[in-house]
Amino acid sequence: SLYSDKTLFIGITQSGETADTLQVLKKLKDRDTLVMTNNNMSQAATLAKNVIYLDCGTERAVASTKTFTASVLSLLGLCEAIDLAELLGAFSTILADTKEIERWANVIKDYDHVLFLARYINYPIACEAALKMKEVAQIHAEPIISSEIKHGPLALIDDKVFSIFILGGENKGGQDKVFDNLSQVKARGGKCLVITNEAWEVSVKLHHEDVIVVPNTDKWTQSLVFNLVGQLLAYYCATLKGLDAI
């Protein structure tokens, strides 16, 4: 068996009512289970032996922005000590002045296709950003592992595709490869934006001038800072397109 008596099964569900998660929890009723949910009165919270109540506020739409961030933070907290004060400080800095993000959203909203390119720990953030761009702004968006852009995605690049690179926080050893990917996209007429942190700002700006720079945090939480920018881009694209239904 792949599992032993020391195996912990973790379920993550915003509503606590996700059908497939509930089905698995019912099958695991005699095993050690942990659920992360934003609804402590849900079926999932009742079925699991242990519960982490995210308590991050009611989601107002299908796009679970707060729950995503809280779930990732909870997972990080299970396996690594994190500097929560530093992360919250970075969030506050971004939210205090979103003019640059709004300016870029005003550009992106007119594109039919958006690619989010990232590598290593930032790739899941590219997935989340692309999902939010589709769900909220109704713009076709796809996440791409930046090192794989030559294997198909590059053929799709033209002046009708907007590419957003998420770069920073990971090992700097692969910088040159990402900058090469960036130059290839630009050579095909693609419009590009780079989301990076202060530590990478100088090297990034040597290769590309269109940059959103966020505060530095530790290597585990830096991606969540990039994620906030991705979610805000989707939000402002939606509102600028008149899609805000609230």
Side-chain angles (χ1 to χ4, degrees), residues 103-128:
R103 183 176 75 84
W104 278 108
N106 196 43
V107 175
I108 296 167
K109 69 175 176 53
D110 294 324
Y111 281 79
D112 293 328
H113 308 285
V114 177
L115 299 181
F116 287 89
L117 300 102
R119 60 205 298 266
Y120 299 139
I121 197 171
N122 289 326
Y123 176 67
I125 301 306
C127 295
E128 166 68 2

PDB file of all heavy atoms in Angstrom, residues 103-128:
ATOM      1  N   ARG A 103      -3.270  50.692 -14.099  1.00  0.00           N
ATOM      2  CA  ARG A 103      -2.817  51.178 -15.417  1.00  0.00           C
ATOM      3  C   ARG A 103      -2.578  50.015 -16.367  1.00  0.00           C
ATOM      4  O   ARG A 103      -2.992  50.054 -17.541  1.00  0.00           O
ATOM      5  CB  ARG A 103      -1.541  52.000 -15.250  1.00  0.00           C
ATOM      6  CG  ARG A 103      -1.031  52.619 -16.547  1.00  0.00           C
ATOM      7  CD  ARG A 103       0.175  53.509 -16.310  1.00  0.00           C
ATOM      8  NE  ARG A 103       1.374  52.745 -16.052  1.00  0.00           N
ATOM      9  CZ  ARG A 103       2.156  52.244 -17.021  1.00  0.00           C
ATOM     10  NH1 ARG A 103       1.828  52.408 -18.300  1.00  0.00           N
ATOM     11  NH2 ARG A 103       3.245  51.577 -16.726  1.00  0.00           N
ATOM     12  N   TRP A 104      -1.956  48.949 -15.875  1.00  0.00           N
ATOM     13  CA  TRP A 104      -1.698  47.797 -16.725  1.00  0.00           C
ATOM     14  C   TRP A 104      -2.978  47.019 -17.012  1.00  0.00           C
ATOM     15  O   TRP A 104      -3.142  46.471 -18.108  1.00  0.00           O
ATOM     16  CB  TRP A 104      -0.634  46.902 -16.099  1.00  0.00           C
ATOM     17  CG  TRP A 104       0.742  47.418 -16.389  1.00  0.00           C
ATOM     18  CD1 TRP A 104       1.623  48.008 -15.532  1.00  0.00           C
ATOM     19  CD2 TRP A 104       1.359  47.435 -17.675  1.00  0.00           C
ATOM     20  NE1 TRP A 104       2.763  48.396 -16.193  1.00  0.00           N
ATOM     21  CE2 TRP A 104       2.632  48.053 -17.521  1.00  0.00           C
ATOM     22  CE3 TRP A 104       0.993  47.001 -18.932  1.00  0.00           C
ATOM     23  CZ2 TRP A 104       3.507  48.227 -18.575  1.00  0.00           C
ATOM     24  CZ3 TRP A 104       1.865  47.174 -19.996  1.00  0.00           C
ATOM     25  CH2 TRP A 104       3.112  47.780 -19.815  1.00  0.00           C
ATOM     26  N   ALA A 105      -3.886  46.980 -16.073  1.00  0.00           N
ATOM     27  CA  ALA A 105      -5.166  46.319 -16.321  1.00  0.00           C
ATOM     28  C   ALA A 105      -5.919  47.014 -17.449  1.00  0.00           C
ATOM     29  O   ALA A 105      -6.594  46.357 -18.265  1.00  0.00           O
ATOM     30  CB  ALA A 105      -6.006  46.318 -15.048  1.00  0.00           C
ATOM     31  N   ASN A 106      -5.779  48.316 -17.522  1.00  0.00           N
ATOM     32  CA  ASN A 106      -6.443  49.077 -18.586  1.00  0.00           C
ATOM     33  C   ASN A 106      -5.890  48.719 -19.958  1.00  0.00           C
ATOM     34  O   ASN A 106      -6.588  48.855 -20.973  1.00  0.00           O
ATOM     35  CB  ASN A 106      -6.284  50.574 -18.324  1.00  0.00           C
ATOM     36  CG  ASN A 106      -7.249  51.404 -19.144  1.00  0.00           C
ATOM     37  OD1 ASN A 106      -8.424  51.074 -19.272  1.00  0.00           O
ATOM     38  ND2 ASN A 106      -6.741  52.480 -19.729  1.00  0.00           N
ATOM     39  N   VAL A 107      -4.649  48.257 -19.998  1.00  0.00           N
ATOM     40  CA  VAL A 107      -4.042  47.784 -21.254  1.00  0.00           C
ATOM     41  C   VAL A 107      -4.480  46.347 -21.536  1.00  0.00           C
ATOM     42  O   VAL A 107      -4.918  46.018 -22.643  1.00  0.00           O
ATOM     43  CB  VAL A 107      -2.497  47.859 -21.174  1.00  0.00           C
ATOM     44  CG1 VAL A 107      -1.861  47.242 -22.428  1.00  0.00           C
ATOM     45  CG2 VAL A 107      -2.034  49.299 -21.004  1.00  0.00           C
ATOM     46  N   ILE A 108      -4.369  45.497 -20.532  1.00  0.00           N
ATOM     47  CA  ILE A 108      -4.618  44.067 -20.701  1.00  0.00           C
ATOM     48  C   ILE A 108      -6.069  43.768 -21.065  1.00  0.00           C
ATOM     49  O   ILE A 108      -6.362  42.829 -21.819  1.00  0.00           O
ATOM     50  CB  ILE A 108      -4.226  43.312 -19.416  1.00  0.00           C
ATOM     51  CG1 ILE A 108      -2.720  43.451 -19.172  1.00  0.00           C
ATOM     52  CG2 ILE A 108      -4.610  41.841 -19.487  1.00  0.00           C
ATOM     53  CD1 ILE A 108      -2.274  43.006 -17.785  1.00  0.00           C
ATOM     54  N   LYS A 109      -7.008  44.578 -20.569  1.00  0.00           N
ATOM     55  CA  LYS A 109      -8.439  44.301 -20.776  1.00  0.00           C
ATOM     56  C   LYS A 109      -8.836  44.246 -22.243  1.00  0.00           C
ATOM     57  O   LYS A 109      -9.856  43.641 -22.601  1.00  0.00           O
ATOM     58  CB  LYS A 109      -9.282  45.350 -20.068  1.00  0.00           C
ATOM     59  CG  LYS A 109      -9.221  46.742 -20.683  1.00  0.00           C
ATOM     60  CD  LYS A 109     -10.180  47.704 -20.012  1.00  0.00           C
ATOM     61  CE  LYS A 109     -10.061  49.117 -20.535  1.00  0.00           C
ATOM     62  NZ  LYS A 109     -10.154  49.279 -21.995  1.00  0.00           N
ATOM     63  N   ASP A 110      -8.049  44.861 -23.116  1.00  0.00           N
ATOM     64  CA  ASP A 110      -8.381  44.905 -24.536  1.00  0.00           C
ATOM     65  C   ASP A 110      -7.794  43.737 -25.323  1.00  0.00           C
ATOM     66  O   ASP A 110      -7.991  43.643 -26.540  1.00  0.00           O
ATOM     67  CB  ASP A 110      -7.900  46.229 -25.138  1.00  0.00           C
ATOM     68  CG  ASP A 110      -8.650  47.429 -24.562  1.00  0.00           C
ATOM     69  OD1 ASP A 110      -9.853  47.290 -24.303  1.00  0.00           O
ATOM     70  OD2 ASP A 110      -8.030  48.490 -24.367  1.00  0.00           O
ATOM     71  N   TYR A 111      -7.061  42.863 -24.646  1.00  0.00           N
ATOM     72  CA  TYR A 111      -6.497  41.684 -25.310  1.00  0.00           C
ATOM     73  C   TYR A 111      -7.454  40.501 -25.179  1.00  0.00           C
ATOM     74  O   TYR A 111      -8.176  40.367 -24.198  1.00  0.00           O
ATOM     75  CB  TYR A 111      -5.146  41.315 -24.689  1.00  0.00           C
ATOM     76  CG  TYR A 111      -4.005  42.185 -25.183  1.00  0.00           C
ATOM     77  CD1 TYR A 111      -3.825  43.465 -24.666  1.00  0.00           C
ATOM     78  CD2 TYR A 111      -3.126  41.736 -26.162  1.00  0.00           C
ATOM     79  CE1 TYR A 111      -2.784  44.278 -25.120  1.00  0.00           C
ATOM     80  CE2 TYR A 111      -2.092  42.536 -26.610  1.00  0.00           C
ATOM     81  CZ  TYR A 111      -1.927  43.802 -26.090  1.00  0.00           C
ATOM     82  OH  TYR A 111      -0.900  44.600 -26.547  1.00  0.00           O
ATOM     83  N   ASP A 112      -7.432  39.632 -26.184  1.00  0.00           N
ATOM     84  CA  ASP A 112      -8.266  38.424 -26.160  1.00  0.00           C
ATOM     85  C   ASP A 112      -7.548  37.248 -25.520  1.00  0.00           C
ATOM     86  O   ASP A 112      -8.185  36.275 -25.100  1.00  0.00           O
ATOM     87  CB  ASP A 112      -8.687  38.042 -27.583  1.00  0.00           C
ATOM     88  CG  ASP A 112      -9.628  39.057 -28.208  1.00  0.00           C
ATOM     89  OD1 ASP A 112     -10.415  39.674 -27.447  1.00  0.00           O
ATOM     90  OD2 ASP A 112      -9.566  39.251 -29.431  1.00  0.00           O
ATOM     91  N   HIS A 113      -6.213  37.305 -25.467  1.00  0.00           N
ATOM     92  CA  HIS A 113      -5.428  36.185 -24.957  1.00  0.00           C
ATOM     93  C   HIS A 113      -4.316  36.703 -24.051  1.00  0.00           C
ATOM     94  O   HIS A 113      -3.596  37.649 -24.403  1.00  0.00           O
ATOM     95  CB  HIS A 113      -4.797  35.396 -26.113  1.00  0.00           C
ATOM     96  CG  HIS A 113      -5.777  34.981 -27.165  1.00  0.00           C
ATOM     97  ND1 HIS A 113      -6.674  33.943 -26.989  1.00  0.00           N
ATOM     98  CD2 HIS A 113      -6.014  35.482 -28.409  1.00  0.00           C
ATOM     99  CE1 HIS A 113      -7.420  33.817 -28.077  1.00  0.00           C
ATOM    100  NE2 HIS A 113      -7.045  34.742 -28.947  1.00  0.00           N
ATOM    101  N   VAL A 114      -4.177  36.064 -22.885  1.00  0.00           N
ATOM    102  CA  VAL A 114      -3.118  36.427 -21.943  1.00  0.00           C
ATOM    103  C   VAL A 114      -2.393  35.159 -21.506  1.00  0.00           C
ATOM    104  O   VAL A 114      -3.036  34.153 -21.163  1.00  0.00           O
ATOM    105  CB  VAL A 114      -3.692  37.142 -20.697  1.00  0.00           C
ATOM    106  CG1 VAL A 114      -2.577  37.445 -19.692  1.00  0.00           C
ATOM    107  CG2 VAL A 114      -4.405  38.428 -21.101  1.00  0.00           C
ATOM    108  N   LEU A 115      -1.063  35.205 -21.530  1.00  0.00           N
ATOM    109  CA  LEU A 115      -0.251  34.097 -21.043  1.00  0.00           C
ATOM    110  C   LEU A 115       0.461  34.536 -19.769  1.00  0.00           C
ATOM    111  O   LEU A 115       1.010  35.633 -19.701  1.00  0.00           O
ATOM    112  CB  LEU A 115       0.791  33.675 -22.089  1.00  0.00           C
ATOM    113  CG  LEU A 115       0.277  33.189 -23.435  1.00  0.00           C
ATOM    114  CD1 LEU A 115       1.454  32.798 -24.330  1.00  0.00           C
ATOM    115  CD2 LEU A 115      -0.680  32.010 -23.267  1.00  0.00           C
ATOM    116  N   PHE A 116       0.448  33.673 -18.752  1.00  0.00           N
ATOM    117  CA  PHE A 116       1.212  33.903 -17.526  1.00  0.00           C
ATOM    118  C   PHE A 116       2.365  32.908 -17.522  1.00  0.00           C
ATOM    119  O   PHE A 116       2.145  31.695 -17.515  1.00  0.00           O
ATOM    120  CB  PHE A 116       0.340  33.711 -16.291  1.00  0.00           C
ATOM    121  CG  PHE A 116      -0.650  34.814 -16.065  1.00  0.00           C
ATOM    122  CD1 PHE A 116      -1.909  34.756 -16.642  1.00  0.00           C
ATOM    123  CD2 PHE A 116      -0.330  35.913 -15.276  1.00  0.00           C
ATOM    124  CE1 PHE A 116      -2.836  35.777 -16.441  1.00  0.00           C
ATOM    125  CE2 PHE A 116      -1.251  36.937 -15.073  1.00  0.00           C
ATOM    126  CZ  PHE A 116      -2.501  36.869 -15.653  1.00  0.00           C
ATOM    127  N   LEU A 117       3.593  33.429 -17.523  1.00  0.00           N
ATOM    128  CA  LEU A 117       4.763  32.568 -17.615  1.00  0.00           C
ATOM    129  C   LEU A 117       5.583  32.650 -16.328  1.00  0.00           C
ATOM    130  O   LEU A 117       5.882  33.742 -15.832  1.00  0.00           O
ATOM    131  CB  LEU A 117       5.637  32.972 -18.807  1.00  0.00           C
ATOM    132  CG  LEU A 117       4.938  32.903 -20.169  1.00  0.00           C
ATOM    133  CD1 LEU A 117       4.522  34.293 -20.619  1.00  0.00           C
ATOM    134  CD2 LEU A 117       5.828  32.258 -21.215  1.00  0.00           C
ATOM    135  N   ALA A 118       5.940  31.483 -15.792  1.00  0.00           N
ATOM    136  CA  ALA A 118       6.706  31.439 -14.552  1.00  0.00           C
ATOM    137  C   ALA A 118       7.414  30.098 -14.460  1.00  0.00           C
ATOM    138  O   ALA A 118       7.178  29.192 -15.265  1.00  0.00           O
ATOM    139  CB  ALA A 118       5.800  31.661 -13.345  1.00  0.00           C
ATOM    140  N   ARG A 119       8.254  29.960 -13.452  1.00  0.00           N
ATOM    141  CA  ARG A 119       8.985  28.704 -13.253  1.00  0.00           C
ATOM    142  C   ARG A 119       9.065  28.388 -11.766  1.00  0.00           C
ATOM    143  O   ARG A 119       8.823  29.234 -10.914  1.00  0.00           O
ATOM    144  CB  ARG A 119      10.393  28.803 -13.864  1.00  0.00           C
ATOM    145  CG  ARG A 119      11.247  29.888 -13.265  1.00  0.00           C
ATOM    146  CD  ARG A 119      12.322  30.373 -14.233  1.00  0.00           C
ATOM    147  NE  ARG A 119      13.253  29.334 -14.592  1.00  0.00           N
ATOM    148  CZ  ARG A 119      14.414  29.117 -13.978  1.00  0.00           C
ATOM    149  NH1 ARG A 119      14.759  29.864 -12.947  1.00  0.00           N
ATOM    150  NH2 ARG A 119      15.230  28.170 -14.380  1.00  0.00           N
ATOM    151  N   TYR A 120       9.384  27.133 -11.477  1.00  0.00           N
ATOM    152  CA  TYR A 120       9.553  26.674 -10.095  1.00  0.00           C
ATOM    153  C   TYR A 120       8.351  27.029  -9.212  1.00  0.00           C
ATOM    154  O   TYR A 120       7.213  26.812  -9.579  1.00  0.00           O
ATOM    155  CB  TYR A 120      10.852  27.216  -9.503  1.00  0.00           C
ATOM    156  CG  TYR A 120      12.093  26.772 -10.234  1.00  0.00           C
ATOM    157  CD1 TYR A 120      13.145  27.654 -10.481  1.00  0.00           C
ATOM    158  CD2 TYR A 120      12.233  25.461 -10.695  1.00  0.00           C
ATOM    159  CE1 TYR A 120      14.286  27.244 -11.172  1.00  0.00           C
ATOM    160  CE2 TYR A 120      13.371  25.041 -11.375  1.00  0.00           C
ATOM    161  CZ  TYR A 120      14.386  25.932 -11.609  1.00  0.00           C
ATOM    162  OH  TYR A 120      15.511  25.527 -12.282  1.00  0.00           O
ATOM    163  N   ILE A 121       8.609  27.635  -8.062  1.00  0.00           N
ATOM    164  CA  ILE A 121       7.567  27.882  -7.073  1.00  0.00           C
ATOM    165  C   ILE A 121       6.538  28.913  -7.548  1.00  0.00           C
ATOM    166  O   ILE A 121       5.426  28.975  -7.030  1.00  0.00           O
ATOM    167  CB  ILE A 121       8.201  28.336  -5.734  1.00  0.00           C
ATOM    168  CG1 ILE A 121       7.200  28.204  -4.586  1.00  0.00           C
ATOM    169  CG2 ILE A 121       8.758  29.758  -5.847  1.00  0.00           C
ATOM    170  CD1 ILE A 121       7.810  28.428  -3.211  1.00  0.00           C
ATOM    171  N   ASN A 122       6.896  29.687  -8.565  1.00  0.00           N
ATOM    172  CA  ASN A 122       5.964  30.697  -9.079  1.00  0.00           C
ATOM    173  C   ASN A 122       4.982  30.140 -10.107  1.00  0.00           C
ATOM    174  O   ASN A 122       3.992  30.814 -10.430  1.00  0.00           O
ATOM    175  CB  ASN A 122       6.733  31.862  -9.696  1.00  0.00           C
ATOM    176  CG  ASN A 122       7.435  32.704  -8.657  1.00  0.00           C
ATOM    177  OD1 ASN A 122       6.940  32.881  -7.552  1.00  0.00           O
ATOM    178  ND2 ASN A 122       8.606  33.223  -8.994  1.00  0.00           N
ATOM    179  N   TYR A 123       5.223  28.930 -10.610  1.00  0.00           N
ATOM    180  CA  TYR A 123       4.314  28.397 -11.626  1.00  0.00           C
ATOM    181  C   TYR A 123       2.892  28.200 -11.102  1.00  0.00           C
ATOM    182  O   TYR A 123       1.922  28.538 -11.801  1.00  0.00           O
ATOM    183  CB  TYR A 123       4.856  27.101 -12.227  1.00  0.00           C
ATOM    184  CG  TYR A 123       3.885  26.480 -13.205  1.00  0.00           C
ATOM    185  CD1 TYR A 123       3.587  27.124 -14.411  1.00  0.00           C
ATOM    186  CD2 TYR A 123       3.225  25.292 -12.911  1.00  0.00           C
ATOM    187  CE1 TYR A 123       2.674  26.586 -15.303  1.00  0.00           C
ATOM    188  CE2 TYR A 123       2.313  24.746 -13.797  1.00  0.00           C
ATOM    189  CZ  TYR A 123       2.037  25.397 -14.990  1.00  0.00           C
ATOM    190  OH  TYR A 123       1.111  24.863 -15.858  1.00  0.00           O
ATOM    191  N   PRO A 124       2.690  27.664  -9.883  1.00  0.00           N
ATOM    192  CA  PRO A 124       1.307  27.575  -9.381  1.00  0.00           C
ATOM    193  C   PRO A 124       0.624  28.935  -9.286  1.00  0.00           C
ATOM    194  O   PRO A 124      -0.610  29.025  -9.432  1.00  0.00           O
ATOM    195  CB  PRO A 124       1.487  26.942  -7.987  1.00  0.00           C
ATOM    196  CG  PRO A 124       2.764  26.187  -8.079  1.00  0.00           C
ATOM    197  CD  PRO A 124       3.649  27.020  -8.966  1.00  0.00           C
ATOM    198  N   ILE A 125       1.401  29.981  -9.071  1.00  0.00           N
ATOM    199  CA  ILE A 125       0.827  31.335  -9.028  1.00  0.00           C
ATOM    200  C   ILE A 125       0.402  31.769 -10.431  1.00  0.00           C
ATOM    201  O   ILE A 125      -0.625  32.448 -10.590  1.00  0.00           O
ATOM    202  CB  ILE A 125       1.836  32.328  -8.426  1.00  0.00           C
ATOM    203  CG1 ILE A 125       2.214  31.890  -7.012  1.00  0.00           C
ATOM    204  CG2 ILE A 125       1.276  33.738  -8.429  1.00  0.00           C
ATOM    205  CD1 ILE A 125       1.046  31.665  -6.071  1.00  0.00           C
ATOM    206  N   ALA A 126       1.150  31.360 -11.429  1.00  0.00           N
ATOM    207  CA  ALA A 126       0.745  31.629 -12.817  1.00  0.00           C
ATOM    208  C   ALA A 126      -0.577  30.921 -13.117  1.00  0.00           C
ATOM    209  O   ALA A 126      -1.452  31.474 -13.796  1.00  0.00           O
ATOM    210  CB  ALA A 126       1.835  31.164 -13.791  1.00  0.00           C
ATOM    211  N   CYS A 127      -0.735  29.699 -12.589  1.00  0.00           N
ATOM    212  CA  CYS A 127      -2.001  28.961 -12.767  1.00  0.00           C
ATOM    213  C   CYS A 127      -3.157  29.703 -12.112  1.00  0.00           C
ATOM    214  O   CYS A 127      -4.245  29.836 -12.694  1.00  0.00           O
ATOM    215  CB  CYS A 127      -1.881  27.560 -12.175  1.00  0.00           C
ATOM    216  SG  CYS A 127      -0.688  26.481 -12.994  1.00  0.00           S
ATOM    217  N   GLU A 128      -2.935  30.173 -10.898  1.00  0.00           N
ATOM    218  CA  GLU A 128      -3.975  30.904 -10.173  1.00  0.00           C
ATOM    219  C   GLU A 128      -4.315  32.213 -10.881  1.00  0.00           C
ATOM    220  O   GLU A 128      -5.492  32.570 -11.031  1.00  0.00           O
ATOM    221  CB  GLU A 128      -3.503  31.176  -8.742  1.00  0.00           C
ATOM    222  CG  GLU A 128      -4.321  32.193  -7.960  1.00  0.00           C
ATOM    223  CD  GLU A 128      -5.728  31.743  -7.610  1.00  0.00           C
ATOM    224  OE1 GLU A 128      -6.101  30.603  -7.945  1.00  0.00           O
ATOM    225  OE2 GLU A 128      -6.475  32.537  -6.992  1.00  0.00           O
TER     226      GLU A 128
END
